[in-house]
Amino acid sequence: MIAAGMILPQMVWAGGKKQKATPERPNIIFILADDMGYGDLSCYGSQYVKTPNIDRLAATGTRFNQCYAGSGISSPSRCSLMTGRNTGNTRIRDNMCTAGGITGIKVNPKGDTTIVRRANLLPEDTTIATVIGTAGYRTCLVNKWHLDGYDKGASPNHRGFDEFYGWTISTVHSNSPYYYPYYRFHGDSLIHIEENANGRHAIHNNDLSVNDAIAFVNRNKKNPFFLYLAFDAPHEPYNIDQTAWYDGQETWTPNTKRYASLITHMDAAIGRLLDELDRLKLRKNTLIIFASDNGAAIQAPLRELNCNAGFRGRKGQLYEGGIRVPLIVNQPGKVPVQKLENIVYFPDFMPTFAALTGVTRNLPQRINGMNILPLFYGKQVDTDHRMLYWEFTGKQRAVRKGDWKCVTIRRDAPLELYNLKNDPEETINLADQYPEMVREFDAEMQRMHVPTPNWPLPGETF
């Protein structure tokens, strides 16, 4: 078994020769948007936002209609993705914790500061990068990690990634001003982006991030790699100077134009990455996955653009609008063109990537995901008869099994019950009609919850 959190060197296989990626054992690029709603892509029904490159991935690959993020907010969702665990079982269950952790300064978009407490991934927390690294893949995270809390030693390059280019929570100014940063980490080194010195808006973070991604791909074109490209877009504050795509939308507010432009600009950056993979003749040997970390936020033009596709709720809530997200999988010649209704979620990616790279024996214990790799390649696997669970400890909790979802988003409020097949918008609460089902789901949720010292509930001991 690997030591959790260890950083591994590049692969050398038997005979001392490095193996190249192949269509059967491909490079992996996981692209994650930030606070982008289920309905913000043209391929998922948006009538407003232009996303031609992401649409092309969907049109030539597999689109999942029932994918769920790890949580309704950034840090716990990304923790679930990285560790294969749901938020009843992860280290990080909310952006801020109520006990333990480390205190630090949170800066809001207006520049106001608050002292808060955050948890961070610990060395014993095995990440996807650690697991894939044992297969010899060179691993890299570009841009947003959000799992370091206020621990400078918990950055990606200390939690399984060989390379890291981006910003951290522990160094607040490393992504300030948002989207046109002057400071940025290269591993443990804090560098300057001279183009953006003195408040200039010379290079946007979408471009900066894809430049780092392209450079990493070029350095590793002859050996397998895992690239986790985590954009900031379209997280607020909606800061982008280039909005010409939507100048004709005279009824839109400036906020709406900037929100849509952040997504379209990210899409253009993804297009540049795809073009580079084509130029290097790596597309057939590269599996590309695109998703969002949670639904659109309250600051987004939710009604104007229908960001969350009519689903109830938003970022920070466990209704569908907060946790149902787009998922696109693409690999030419391997991943078929299809739309799937299988229920999948972020904890599934760790066992799936382990199966793809052949290192399932190195999976940590107590993960909550399952291997969904057959779905990527046109085969079936039953994902719908298991229990998917989410919690904001002591505040919200939700579970889904098959067509049914049980949820509450208010502390100590009664559980609500919805049949998502008949009522995906969660408008008809059936809890009073099926009280026994609610009791069963309640019992399942209590079993799913593993006590945590960072979000203790009354009466829990550690």
Side-chain angles (χ1 to χ4, degrees), residues 69-306:
S71 180
I73 202 166
S74 183
S75 290
S77 185
R78 293 159 195 265
C79 187
S80 179
L81 172 66
M82 283 291 104
T83 64
R85 297 182 177 187
N86 65 39
T87 44
N89 189 30
T90 49
R91 179 77 58 189
I92 301 173
R93 306 189 186 188
D94 204 339
N95 277 1
M96 271 66 78
C97 57
T98 57
I102 301 173
T103 58
I105 298 172
K106 177 177 173 59
V107 182
N108 71 20
K110 295 182 179 179
D112 299 327
T113 61
T114 308
I115 301 298
V116 298
R117 185 182 297 274
R118 292 183 187 263
N120 57 270
L121 280 188
L122 299 180
E124 58 265 33
D125 294 320
T126 302
T127 67
I128 282 180
T130 311
V131 172
I132 294 178
T134 65
Y137 279 58
R138 187 73 176 175
T139 59
C140 176
L141 182 137
V142 171
N143 199 49
K144 182 172 180 176
W145 176 232
H146 229 247
L147 301 178
D148 57 297
Y150 294 110
D151 181 359
K152 293 182 179 180
S155 59
N157 50 309
H158 295 282
R159 295 295 182 266
F161 285 90
D162 297 309
E163 301 183 35
F164 164 53
Y165 308 93
W167 60 277
T168 65
I169 297 169
S170 58
T171 305
V172 176
H173 62 279
S174 65
N175 199 45
S176 179
Y178 216 69
Y179 288 122
Y180 293 97
Y182 175 59
Y183 297 98
R184 193 167 178 84
F185 277 101
H186 284 190
D188 288 330
S189 300
L190 190 62
I191 68 161
H192 294 164
I193 308 301
E194 293 300 336
E195 297 96 318
N196 291 336
N198 301 314
R200 292 195 298 269
H201 286 193
I203 182 166
H204 194 275
N205 200 44
N206 286 343
D207 288 323
L208 188 61
S209 295
V210 87
N211 289 348
D212 289 335
I214 288 172
F216 171 77
V217 168
N218 273 274
R219 288 195 302 272
N220 292 278
K221 59 189 175 185
K222 294 185 179 180
N223 54 269
F225 60 79
F226 168 56
L227 169 64
Y228 175 26
L229 174 55
F231 287 101
D232 290 322
H235 192 292
E236 54 86 25
Y238 306 131
N239 194 353
I240 184 170
D241 298 336
Q242 182 181 354
T243 61
W245 297 287
Y246 301 103
D247 284 350
Q249 297 288 351
E250 297 180 358
T251 62
W252 285 14
T253 66
N255 182 72
T256 299
K257 289 183 180 180
R258 288 192 293 266
Y259 179 86
S261 294
L262 281 169
I263 297 173
T264 299
H265 189 251
M266 174 180 63
D267 179 87
I270 292 170
R272 287 206 290 126
L273 176 59
L274 296 177
D275 289 344
E276 186 66 8
L277 292 171
D278 285 334
R279 188 186 72 80
L280 296 173
K281 297 181 170 51
L282 293 178
R283 277 292 280 119
K284 291 184 178 180
N285 293 348
T286 303
L287 177 72
I288 297 175
I289 296 172
F290 178 88
S292 178
D293 68 337
N294 45 250
I298 192 171
Q299 297 90 344
L302 297 174
R303 292 186 178 180
E304 195 168 9
L305 299 187
N306 194 27

Side-chain angles (χ1 to χ4, degrees), residues 297-338:
I298 192 171
Q299 297 90 344
L302 297 174
R303 292 186 178 180
E304 195 168 9
L305 299 187
N306 194 27
C307 299
N308 289 333
F311 291 125
R312 184 178 184 179
R314 52 170 172 78
K315 174 186 177 179
Q317 297 179 338
L318 296 182
Y319 288 130
E320 295 292 283
I323 56 176
R324 193 185 292 209
V325 295
L327 175 63
I328 298 165
V329 180
N330 186 287
Q331 185 186 350
K334 292 290 290 183
V335 173
V337 177
Q338 57 181 348

